[in-house]
Amino acid sequence: MSTTSFTLHATDGRARTGVIQTPRGEIRTPAFMPVGTAATVKAMMPDQVRSTGADILLGNTYHLMLRPTAERIARLGGLHSFMNWDRPILTDSGGFQVMSLAELRKLTEDGVTFRSHIDGSKHMLSPERSMEIQKLLGSDIVMAFDECPALPADRDRLDTSMRLSMRWAARSREAFGDRPGHMLFGIQQGGLEPDLRAESAKALTDIGFDGYAVGGLAVGEGQEAMFACLDHAPQNLPVDKPRYLMGVGKPDDIVGAVKRGIDMMDCVLPTRSGRTGQAFTRHGVVNLKNIRHADDPRPLDEDCSCPACRNYSRAYLHHVYRSREMISGMLLSWHNLQYFQDIMDEMRHAIAEGRFEAWEAAFHAGRADGDIPRL
Ligand SMILES: [Zn+2]
């Protein structure tokens, strides 16, 4: 089995572009990973997701372990074949979602016991169990099991939690073992405290991972605080390994993160917003539910190559949203994923050509129009 690698092709300021090689294909960075929570990117077929330019999807351990269960997916040939996506998949460790979704959680040194939010059944997640589940799923990029405290949190809580996560990172590394062709990422914690972030990075690099996530952000701290943290947190991580910012974000969050040296991101926003009539465009956010679109024959975004923009008017998109037709969520999810991937592609080229700053200025200037009809 072939191994994995990360090659950095160019840097521009702190922004980086490169390629992660895996046996299931390459991941061009900076990369945006659409979220396939329950073994599907909602309202999208896998070949459609791929056509937007996605090299990798994210799957959620917490959801899949509860339903249909990791053991069942393994019996059926693994997550790639189960969901008909043959390219790389990253799975989270389940830790974050246990904390945000599960009921009656009990946290100990060993791990977390909890009750399912679906049927109340009792389950356990630990570093060892999380590694086992992600192996059963067949994940290409496995995340270490960690604890992610909600912000704001006081320093004592962040300190205690970070140290527990670092002990769990060592146990995750041990349980993962040697699996050629698969990568294990560690997760930096420490909230918004620069010294805790640095200490966490040191603990992780001493253990040694194939990539490093900046965890514990996008949990309610706001963009300004997140960017302030990203001004220092990624700098403590190894230059020659991919850096992943978990759960981010809006287009301007993504651009700001790439500017600060992040290589990978994931977010439910393109598909979730698509199902609620909200479209991201190079001119800002467009709410298709708004009556102002009812007679508008123009495309959603005349520069976009997706089917929603090529084949339909704003009036149609407004109509199917108001009529609660399924094609509304399908078309707007497709458009939003296309827009996010278009931004990533533009950033990769801008970084490679040393013009990221100019690209970023144009990105922000174009969005100033917002949702104002340009007639
Ligand atoms: Zn479009």
Side-chain angles (χ1 to χ4, degrees):
M1 193 184 283
S2 60
T3 52
T4 59
S5 66
F6 175 55
T7 309
L8 212 48
H9 290 321
T11 59
D12 185 0
R14 284 183 172 172
R16 299 138 52 97
T17 184
V19 172
I20 301 169
Q21 288 287 352
T22 81
R24 288 192 180 270
E26 66 174 31
I27 303 155
R28 296 162 294 168
T29 67
F32 179 78
M33 302 184 280
V35 177
T37 298
T40 167
V41 176
K42 292 188 198 306
M44 295 284 288
M45 299 295 284
D47 57 343
Q48 297 170 343
V49 178
R50 173 61 184 159
S51 80
T52 64
D55 292 332
I56 175 170
L57 298 185
L58 180 141
N60 287 124
T61 284
Y62 173 80
H63 288 276
L64 296 171
M65 72 181 280
L66 296 180
R67 188 171 58 194
T69 76
E71 283 74 11
R72 178 169 288 148
I73 290 175
R75 283 198 301 276
L76 293 164
L79 184 56
H80 295 83
S81 124
F82 187 56
M83 69 183 290
N84 190 30
W85 173 265
D86 61 4
R87 288 180 174 270
I89 294 175
L90 179 148
T91 47
D92 63 9
S93 71
F96 178 77
Q97 292 196 314
V98 165
M99 292 303 160
S100 54
L101 293 174
E103 292 158 8
L104 295 170
R105 297 179 302 269
K106 186 162 178 284
L107 180 72
T108 66
E109 181 68 29
D110 188 47
V112 190
T113 55
F114 59 94
R115 287 193 183 275
S116 159
H117 72 288
I118 299 168
D119 61 7
S121 56
K122 198 174 173 187
H123 298 269
M124 186 275 294
L125 265 177
S126 63
E128 292 76 18
R129 177 62 179 148
S130 178
M131 294 307 105
E132 182 184 21
I133 290 171
Q134 294 180 77
K135 186 176 182 178
L136 285 166
L137 296 173
S139 171
D140 303 281
I141 302 182
V142 171
M143 298 304 298
F145 188 67
D146 68 337
E147 201 227 342
C148 175
L151 295 178
D154 65 40
R155 192 184 156 87
D156 280 356
R157 168 87 176 89
L158 291 169
D159 188 295
T160 305
S161 170
M162 184 274 281
R163 284 169 214 291
L164 175 65
S165 285
M166 295 308 102
R167 293 192 296 277
W168 285 359
R171 282 168 55 190
S172 295
R173 175 81 263 180
E174 176 74 21
F176 180 82
D178 184 23
R179 297 181 61 209
H182 301 266
M183 303 173 92
L184 177 64
F185 281 22
I187 305 177
Q188 183 197 45
Q189 290 291 350
L192 303 175
E193 308 282 328
D195 60 322
L196 295 183
R197 285 278 169 187
E199 199 178 334
S200 177
K202 169 83 167 62
L204 292 175
T205 41
D206 284 350
I207 297 165
F209 289 92
D210 304 305
Y212 296 85
V214 178
L217 292 180
V219 290
E221 75 279 9
Q223 189 188 71
E224 195 180 334
M226 181 174 83
F227 283 174
C229 183
L230 291 177
D231 281 336
H232 59 79
Q235 303 308 312
N236 303 312
L237 299 170
V239 172
D240 61 347
K241 302 288 184 196
R243 301 165 179 165
Y244 163 31
L245 179 60
M246 308 179 77
V248 169
K250 297 192 302 294
D252 54 335
D253 295 329
I254 288 173
V255 172
V258 168
K259 180 185 186 175
R260 291 166 175 82
I262 295 295
D263 305 306
M264 306 165 70
M265 280 143 289
D266 77 279
C267 195
V268 296
L269 203 59
T271 43
R272 181 173 290 168
S273 298
R275 297 194 301 281
T276 59
Q278 200 174 56
F280 295 91
T281 76
R282 55 203 79 232
H283 305 294
V285 174
V286 177
N287 288 307
L288 270 314
K289 66 184 82 169
N290 196 310
I291 192 73
R292 76 168 63 150
H293 303 296
D295 285 302
D296 195 334
R298 296 175 306 161
L300 174 56
D301 183 340
E302 62 272 22
D303 298 324
C304 178
S305 65
C306 90
C309 296
R310 269 191 291 108
N311 305 331
Y312 299 98
S313 61
R314 290 186 177 203
Y316 181 79
L317 297 172
H318 170 77
H319 161 69
V320 289
Y321 176 78
R322 295 285 282 232
S323 308
R324 298 167 194 257
E325 290 293 340
M326 281 193 284
I327 198 172
S328 172
M330 293 160 63
L331 287 173
L332 293 184
S333 296
W334 194 329
H335 167 79
N336 284 338
L337 286 177
Q338 186 67 62
Y339 175 63
F340 274 57
Q341 295 298 344
D342 285 352
I343 296 178
M344 305 315 292
D345 198 50
E346 289 177 19
M347 285 195 288
R348 288 191 293 264
H349 283 96
I351 295 164
E353 292 158 19
R355 52 177 178 81
F356 183 79
E357 201 175 321
W359 180 88
E360 189 199 9
F363 167 82
H364 288 297
R367 290 161 53 81
D369 295 348
D371 198 11
I372 301 161
R374 293 165 299 124
L375 293 173

